[in-house]
Amino acid sequence: MAHGVGDTASEMDVGARRVVALATAVGNFTEWFDFAIYGFLAAILGRLFFPGASPAAALLASLAVFGVAFFMRPLGGLVVGAIGDRHGRRALLTLSIGMMGLSTTLIGVLPTYAAAGVAAPILLVLLRCIQGFSAGAEWTGSAAFLVEHTPVDRRGRYASVVSATAALATAFGGMLVLALELTLTSDQMLSWGWRIPFLVAVPLTLIGTWIRLRIDETPVFQRLVKAGAVTDAPVRRAGRDVKAIAITFAFSSVQGLGFYYLATYVISYLTATVKLPEARALPLVAIGLVVYAVLCPFAGALSDRVGRRRVNLIGGTGLAVVSVPAFALMGTGTPAGVVGGMVLFAVFQSMVSVTTVCMLVELFPAQTRSTSSAIGFNLGLALIGGPGPLIAAAIAAATGSSILPALYMVVVAALGTLALVRWLPETAGRALDATAAVPAGSAR
């Protein structure tokens, strides 16, 4: 077995690695909480920023703004990812959490259409674009930062932090919005209550930034600097990673779509298609997301034992097979059915998600890791994963079926997994350093 970042086991004690995991967890939680709460408040934001339209049209306009962020992700991943390859993983993560926190906070203090006219929705779109730009670098940046600190035989277990905290942040955002809606009157929620979740970004961002600034740069990047092997042109050099980027696009499309089905679409599905009240649906979704977060470390440990390729292919095949039964269970509308369907889906999604985090790091050379992984990952999310909830909702609206929305997930998982059967290599145990093979200065 090759050892690269495995050398960090002798450089860092367990306590130091746990601090790194905490820094990753807090920052990633903050990013995903900030990114997700817009979706939970879409109906209210539609009324406040797109008045004059019908409620349905206002909601669609608000959701369109939500979707804009996905198309900004590839650009953010490219630009901020390049910063990670030129100036270090810590610089990337500090910048991404700062941008996300600032844009989210500013949404919380925006004037509405009634106060600022057409400037209000324009500013909302701009800030949502900044959120997407920031999110484009966070997942891949967190993956590189955490895994490059981790012993070779425990990468999967540590990588599960990224997947689990994204789900927990989404669940927390949904429950916070529900608590506000149950506590405040409709007028209070429209007047000022909707601002509270966005302003929660202030303490979360400050805490996350403080923790990240106290963590050392990854040993892998430190060795690149010492060897004089840091590239000045990571975007241009990423052209050498085309095959790995294409493979990343495939597994990230499956992973991203599965996550957005689980974390974003299910709540809309339960309220719009199954006709459950939001106050009943949100706690059930939160339970499902917590179970998913608990499953992630087990999926990571399994991939450490038997390899990323096998676990990822099992996960992708499972999503293709169980998505229809899972939605059939959720379509019953019973608590056991909803949670059971989510758990069935989550078992295989956790396998895909955690191996994705590892492979984003293990597939690419250290010099272009942040840039190249961000390109493949964000293209998969922007083109396949991000539009998933909208496509699923359109299928449900057109057919009236509570099962057919799963078909998009089935098709993507089946096609993506078939491609990966052919081209996905085993990456577990790969060395994460490239300095030994790169003469000083030649990466420039």
Side-chain angles (χ1 to χ4, degrees), residues 54-439:
S54 67
L59 175 59
L60 286 174
S62 181
L63 288 174
V65 176
F66 179 79
V68 163
F70 288 101
F71 293 99
M72 291 298 296
R73 289 183 66 118
L75 179 60
L78 190 67
V79 174
V80 185
I83 291 174
D85 285 325
R86 294 182 64 184
H87 303 289
R89 320 310 189 203
R90 189 179 70 166
L92 179 160
L93 291 179
T94 303
L95 178 60
S96 70
I97 195 174
M99 288 192 299
M100 179 66 83
L102 178 61
S103 56
T104 304
T105 302
L106 290 176
I107 290 177
V109 297
L110 271 184
T112 63
Y113 190 93
V118 72
I122 291 174
L123 289 171
L124 182 65
V125 170
L126 176 62
L127 292 173
R128 187 64 185 167
C129 285
I130 297 173
Q131 282 190 318
F133 187 89
S134 167
E138 174 64 27
W139 187 287
T140 52
S142 292
F145 183 75
L146 183 57
V147 175
E148 286 184 355
H149 271 104
T150 304
V152 66
D153 60 341
R154 299 177 190 174
R155 290 176 190 162
R157 277 167 279 189
Y158 276 88
S160 68
V161 168
V162 177
S163 300
T165 50
L168 293 174
T170 304
F172 176 69
M175 294 307 295
L176 175 59
V177 171
L178 176 61
L180 290 170
E181 290 178 341
L182 294 177
T183 303
L184 303 177
T185 65
S186 296
D187 288 343
Q188 289 173 327
M189 197 67 188
L190 280 170
S191 176
W192 52 268
W194 67 272
R195 300 182 184 274
I196 293 175
F198 292 106
L199 297 179
V200 169
V202 176
L204 286 177
T205 301
L206 291 175
I207 293 170
T209 303
W210 180 77
I211 293 176
R212 285 183 169 180
L213 287 173
R214 292 176 61 85
I215 300 300
D216 290 334
E217 183 53 75
T218 73
V220 172
F221 191 80
Q222 289 183 37
R223 287 192 285 269
L224 280 179
V225 172
K226 186 175 181 180
V230 176
T231 178
D232 287 333
V235 176
R236 185 173 68 245
R237 282 180 56 85
R240 305 178 187 180
D241 302 330
V242 171
K243 183 177 179 180
I245 289 172
I247 293 170
T248 300
F249 175 85
F251 65 67
S252 295
S253 295
V254 178
Q255 185 275 333
L257 181 61
F259 182 78
Y260 285 117
Y261 258 58
L262 197 65
T264 303
Y265 175 61
V266 167
I267 185 62
S268 300
Y269 167 78
L270 292 176
T271 54
T273 303
V274 184
K275 307 299 182 184
L276 285 183
E278 187 179 57
R280 185 179 174 188
L282 264 174
L284 296 176
V285 172
I287 292 171
L289 287 172
V290 170
V291 173
Y292 164 77
V294 172
L295 289 170
C296 286
F298 293 98
L302 181 63
S303 77
D304 285 333
R305 180 177 292 272
V306 304
R308 317 293 181 226
R309 174 183 163 87
R310 186 178 300 176
V311 174
N312 187 271
L313 294 179
I314 292 172
T317 302
L319 288 175
V321 172
V322 308
S323 291
V324 169
F327 271 78
L329 281 171
M330 289 187 278
T332 65
T334 65
V338 172
V339 174
M342 288 193 71
V343 170
L344 179 62
F345 193 97
V347 167
F348 297 99
Q349 176 60 27
S350 65
M351 295 182 185
V352 171
S353 186
V354 176
T355 52
T356 290
V357 175
C358 293
M359 293 187 299
L360 286 171
V361 183
E362 294 168 338
L363 266 175
F364 296 97
Q367 289 92 341
T368 57
R369 182 167 292 142
S370 291
T371 305
S372 295
S373 64
I375 293 171
F377 181 77
N378 287 297
L379 285 175
L381 264 65
L383 299 178
I384 307 296
L390 182 60
I391 292 172
I395 293 172
T399 64
S401 170
S402 61
I403 298 176
L404 290 181
L407 289 182
Y408 182 57
M409 183 73 245
V410 171
V411 171
V412 170
L415 293 178
T417 303
L418 282 173
L420 294 171
V421 167
R422 173 66 179 83
W423 285 293
L424 181 64
E426 180 54 68
T427 63
R430 282 190 177 184
L432 299 188
D433 280 311
T435 54
V438 181

